Amino acid sequence: MRRYLLFLFLLITFIPNLSNAQTEERILEEISLSASDPDVFTEDLTAQLELLKPLQKNPLNLNIISEEELQQLFFLSANQINQFFLHRQKSGFFISVNELQVIPGFTPEVIIQMLPYITVKSSNTLKISELRKKSLDNSAWSMFTYSRTLQPAKGYQIKDPERSKYQGSPDRLLVRFRWSHQDKLLFTLNMKKDPGEPFFAAKQRYGFDYYAGSIYYRNIKQAKHLILGDFHVQLGQGLMVWTGPQFGNRNAIAPILQQPIGIRPHTGMTESRFFRGIAASFRKKNFQFIPFLSYKKETATLQHLPEKGWVVTSINYSGLHRTPSEQRNRQTTGIFNAGTSMHWSNLNWKLGLGYLYHQLQYPLQPRPTYYNQYRFRGTTLHQLNAHYQYSFYNLLLYGETAHSLSSGWANYHGLTASLGRKFSFNIRYRHYQPNYQQFFAQSFQAQSNLGNEQGAYLSLAYHPSRKFDWIASFDYVQFEKPRYRVRLPSEGWLFQSQMSYIWYKKGYLRLRYQYKWFQENFPAESKLQSRIANVLRLQLRLNFQYKLTDSWMLNNQVEGRHFAKDAAYPKRGFLALQDLIWKNPGNPLSANLRLAWFNVDSYDARIYTYERDVLYAFSFPSFFRNGIRTYANIKYRIGKSLEFWGKAAHTHNFGIDEMGSGLDLIAGNQRTDIRFQIRYSWN
């Protein structure tokens, strides 16, 4: 039977395929292909796609677009945006979107991603008609999403009231509501119940575990932006504060230079690392002023000490409140934040200063370990930052310096240069001191927590023609002090290379290679505590995507991984998958299928890949052991107002009797997940 399935899979894999995926899905897939581990996607990407959706109805006019509007296309780098405005300043109005091809840094793939959201209208009278059209664009929609794993996990089957178990059902429920008035007002509301969480019970006596929402005003008198409720703040290069999605991680082949948006509503489903309160952005000529206030409850573990009273030993950012202990810790402490940022900019310069204040309800006192000795302890933290950008022809110089008062410093500086339309390079240097303390920082880093890191990065990109491009990057990093899973000072380096052959508006053939060397502790059973082990990870991925007709598209992927660690046997993994995607622009039904086969020795050699899903849902499952995974997605539009999505996914592992661990343990070797979603829109 296994041989038959393998033969069938290989036969399908090499039959030419077809696909016409949405641009949003293409962007997500590009991002996933550039990351070695989806842990870098800790923030819900929903908000980014929500920014793009309205642009499909009202595309951005390249002849009148502002820098702030162009930054909505979050896949564009700071250098690409800078080159765009330099070109428009020198050459005048665009005649066609095809002119983008002559701007340095605008590859065919980037232009394809932009096409659904841009247009060219050369007359100023069209600008007036565009604004009048937008002023009439009032809309609203509501969405309900349901998902569940059909096989019952151990946590739902425990009957003993003294044992830890899940307090609710295995259902996952999501509700979203949006209402906008013209282009000035947006109201958002999100509700969520995770699997295992109570519903109208325990601490969820009001129903859902998670409620989030905001009222967002734009262009109201002196305020460029005003947000009441939940919001994100992104300043500089993220050394002081950057909440929300971040695409500048060093694991990416060519990481995007962070584009700080200032403030925006939090519209995603992630339950932590955002602000709750009020934020505003004021602009006058070249100056911008951003003040914000926030108070938010967090899930934390409290401990009573005889001399200090109640202290917080850890903060849980997962958003899961399923077991009695998770319920007990839910929203047990509060954090007050206040900050401000001032910016000045002209055609070449961008300069900014910022301040951020944190006040905790209870002192933070994490239990001492070898890796957290420099983490923040106490109730009050002050931070300062200064950041800059300077553009000169094809050069872009940028950076940020941040300081946590009474402790450490963080520095990040870089240079990007485009040498004609074919060649560009990027140099970056970072030094985050071990005692630099922060709560909301995200930037170019190798660890999940920003600090205790020094590194140098170089990337090169070569585009000899519209059909071929090559990108390579090298990053060397040192860790001055111990860190998680590493008892001693350590180092590492990462080399990546990617070659792509592109059929313009049709597809691509892409080969990616990654060589990662780093150090970590030996396993506890080896009793080698006086030194650390060398670890090597190799990855080779071949991806082929091609659009054969207006309705059908092919996506194939083959990937191999190798993991080696001192005093341990090497581990290997292999994955091959086939996608079949169908979408006819004139048909209300669209669908896609996948068949994947994987053979992975252990979790150390696990392979991640992106899966298509229902709207605003993102799947990056890991593959290990030996088995087959299949899924099917459908979308059906009922009239102009009602849309339905559905997904069913099934994983079959060979040669095992159980899957998962702890309370998520499933008896048997199969897992089936279902998801349904419905959205109703009205004007």
Side-chain angles (χ1 to χ4, degrees), residues 103-370:
I103 303 177
F106 281 77
T107 64
E109 284 187 284
V110 171
I111 297 172
I112 292 172
Q113 291 174 357
M114 296 176 65
L115 287 178
Y117 315 113
I118 60 174
T119 187
V120 167
K121 296 179 181 179
S122 58
S123 172
N124 287 331
T125 58
L126 291 178
K127 174 182 177 181
I128 297 174
S129 65
E130 271 192 355
L131 295 176
R132 185 178 296 115
K133 179 181 177 182
K134 286 187 177 183
S135 68
L136 300 174
D137 186 20
N138 306 322
S139 63
W141 57 264
S142 60
M143 178 187 292
F144 173 76
T145 307
Y146 171 86
S147 59
R148 178 172 180 151
T149 299
L150 298 185
Q151 291 78 12
K154 179 180 178 181
Y156 302 103
Q157 299 174 309
I158 297 174
K159 304 300 181 182
D160 187 350
E162 301 298 323
R163 295 177 60 189
S164 178
K165 61 180 180 178
Y166 292 149
Q167 303 293 292
S169 72
D171 306 306
R172 188 171 193 257
L173 307 175
L174 306 176
V175 177
R176 295 181 174 96
F177 176 78
R178 304 289 182 269
W179 179 79
S180 61
H181 174 65
Q182 301 179 3
D183 61 344
K184 294 185 179 296
L185 176 63
L186 173 65
F187 173 76
T188 69
L189 177 64
N190 289 344
M191 296 170 274
K192 181 172 72 167
K193 171 202 172 301
D194 286 307
E197 291 179 340
F199 194 54
F200 287 105
K203 285 192 174 183
Q204 278 77 40
R205 61 182 182 275
Y206 298 114
F208 292 91
D209 172 68
Y210 169 69
Y211 290 90
S214 63
I215 301 175
Y216 176 35
Y217 296 91
R218 288 186 292 183
N219 302 314
I220 304 296
K221 295 184 178 180
Q222 299 299 321
K224 188 74 173 176
H225 305 277
L226 176 64
I227 304 174
L228 304 174
D230 299 328
F231 59 92
H232 288 295
V233 178
Q234 298 178 358
L235 302 176
Q237 290 300 308
L239 299 190
M240 184 178 76
V241 56
W242 190 287
T243 62
Q246 187 262 2
F247 306 115
N249 195 279
R250 55 97 73 163
N251 284 322
I253 277 278
I256 298 172
L257 175 62
Q258 306 231 75
Q259 285 295 313
I261 58 161
I263 60 172
R264 70 163 174 80
H266 168 60
T267 58
M269 286 293 182
T270 301
E271 300 183 35
S272 60
R273 299 192 185 279
F274 63 89
F275 297 101
R276 176 165 287 170
I278 182 171
S281 173
F282 303 92
R283 181 182 291 275
K284 187 173 183 180
K285 295 183 178 179
N286 292 345
F287 289 91
Q288 184 181 22
F289 174 59
I290 301 175
F292 57 94
L293 295 172
S294 167
Y295 181 79
K296 185 173 178 290
K297 287 285 190 176
E298 298 287 356
T299 296
T301 302
L302 297 180
Q303 182 180 359
H304 192 273
L305 301 179
E307 298 180 356
K308 297 183 178 181
W310 288 104
V311 299
V312 174
T313 59
S314 65
I315 300 176
N316 183 354
Y317 295 109
S318 71
L320 299 174
H321 306 108
R322 306 158 299 178
T323 64
S325 62
E326 291 173 345
Q327 282 281 302
R328 185 170 56 252
N329 296 334
R330 182 179 182 269
Q331 297 186 357
T332 51
T333 190
I335 301 180
F336 172 77
N337 299 283
T340 184
S341 180
M342 294 175 290
H343 305 262
W344 177 86
S345 62
N346 63 15
L347 187 62
N348 300 104
W349 281 98
K350 293 181 182 179
L351 303 174
L353 296 172
Y355 167 75
L356 184 56
Y357 169 76
H358 311 273
Q359 178 68 48
L360 281 69
Q361 180 179 356
Y362 300 107
L364 181 61
Q365 293 290 334
R367 295 183 177 91
T369 64
Y370 66 86

Side-chain angles (χ1 to χ4, degrees), residues 81-107:
I81 293 175
N82 181 59
Q83 293 298 319
F84 172 86
F85 287 104
L86 284 175
H87 174 84
R88 195 173 74 178
Q89 182 187 22
K90 293 178 181 179
S91 304
F93 282 167
F94 285 80
I95 299 175
S96 167
V97 294
N98 293 326
E99 275 188 64
L100 292 171
Q101 299 178 64
V102 304
I103 303 177
F106 281 77
T107 64

Side-chain angles (χ1 to χ4, degrees), residues 559-582:
E559 180 170 344
R561 287 207 177 193
H562 174 84
F563 175 89
K565 183 175 181 178
D566 290 347
Y569 290 107
K571 309 295 192 305
R572 295 178 177 84
F574 179 79
L575 166 74
L577 63 85
Q578 170 71 65
D579 287 341
L580 184 64
I581 306 164
W582 180 79

